[in-house]
């Protein structure tokens, strides 16, 4: 997640590496280490144990649960936790969620269902989190940029 934030700052926001907000990067990276990584790893284990690991029906069930249950909840938790780490008051946190949640979920549905379908159908269970993390570099770049923008 830190690399995604640095990418957002240097590539999208066009900051020189020396002028990047390293506190922002550390905050974003901490969120990945403390919350996102462990929760996603547990989620993948849960899906494998409750739904299974092979077959097209299994893959479709996992994608449906992942995208209809986990993703919306996790995005709300992500946005709330990020704003908490930024020490934003609850009213500002609500404004950030209202301003970003729908756009992020629309982007999510453009990216993740296809990735997860391939992941759950083709990729062995042991490597599924690895594929997600590879795609997440680009996803985290988007999230870092989207959540760092100032609200009007």
């Amino acid at each position: 997640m830190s690399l995604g934030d640095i990418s957002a700052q240097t590539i999208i926001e066009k900051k020189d590496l020396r002028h990047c907000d390293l506190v922002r990067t550390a905050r974003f990276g901490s969120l990945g280490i403390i919350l996102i990584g462990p929760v996603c790893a547990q989620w993948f284990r849960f899906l494998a144990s409750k739904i299974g690991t092979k077959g097209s029906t299994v893959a479709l069930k996992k994608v449906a649960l992942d995208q209809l249950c986990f993703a919306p909840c996790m995005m709300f938790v992500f946005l709330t936790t990020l704003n908490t780490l930024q020490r934003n008051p609850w009213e500002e946190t609500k404004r950030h969620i209202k301003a970003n949640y729908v756009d992020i979920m629309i982007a999510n549905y453009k990216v993740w269902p296809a990735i997860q379908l391939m992941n759950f159908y083709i990729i062995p269970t042991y490597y599924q989190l690895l594929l997600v993390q590879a795609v997440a570099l680009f996803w985290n770049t988007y999230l870092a940029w989207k959540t760092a923008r100032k609200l009007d």
Side-chain angles (χ1 to χ4, degrees), residues 57-105:
T57 304
V58 166
L60 289 171
K61 286 179 184 177
K62 284 182 172 183
V63 170
L65 281 172
D66 187 63
Q67 293 302 303
L68 298 175
C69 298
F70 183 74
C73 294
M74 193 64 202
M75 189 49 56
F76 180 80
V77 170
F78 166 78
L79 290 170
T80 303
T81 306
L82 181 62
N83 274 272
T84 300
L85 290 175
Q86 293 169 338
R87 297 182 180 174
N88 290 335
W90 178 242
E91 290 304 316
E92 187 172 346
T93 297
K94 288 192 298 190
R95 283 187 39 224
H96 277 269
I97 292 169
K98 186 176 180 180
N100 291 317
Y101 184 83
V102 172
D103 288 346
I104 291 171
M105 288 309 300

Side-chain angles (χ1 to χ4, degrees), residues 44 62 119-120 123-133:
F44 276 69
K62 284 182 172 183
N119 197 26
F120 294 137
I123 306 298
T125 305
Y126 185 77
Y127 296 109
Q128 288 175 356
L129 197 56
L130 183 61
L131 173 66
V132 167
Q133 291 308 310

Side-chain angles (χ1 to χ4, degrees), residues 109-130:
Y109 291 130
K110 290 178 182 178
V111 173
W112 287 107
I115 296 297
Q116 291 294 54
L117 187 59
M118 179 183 73
N119 197 26
F120 294 137
Y121 188 65
I122 298 171
I123 306 298
T125 305
Y126 185 77
Y127 296 109
Q128 288 175 356
L129 197 56
L130 183 61

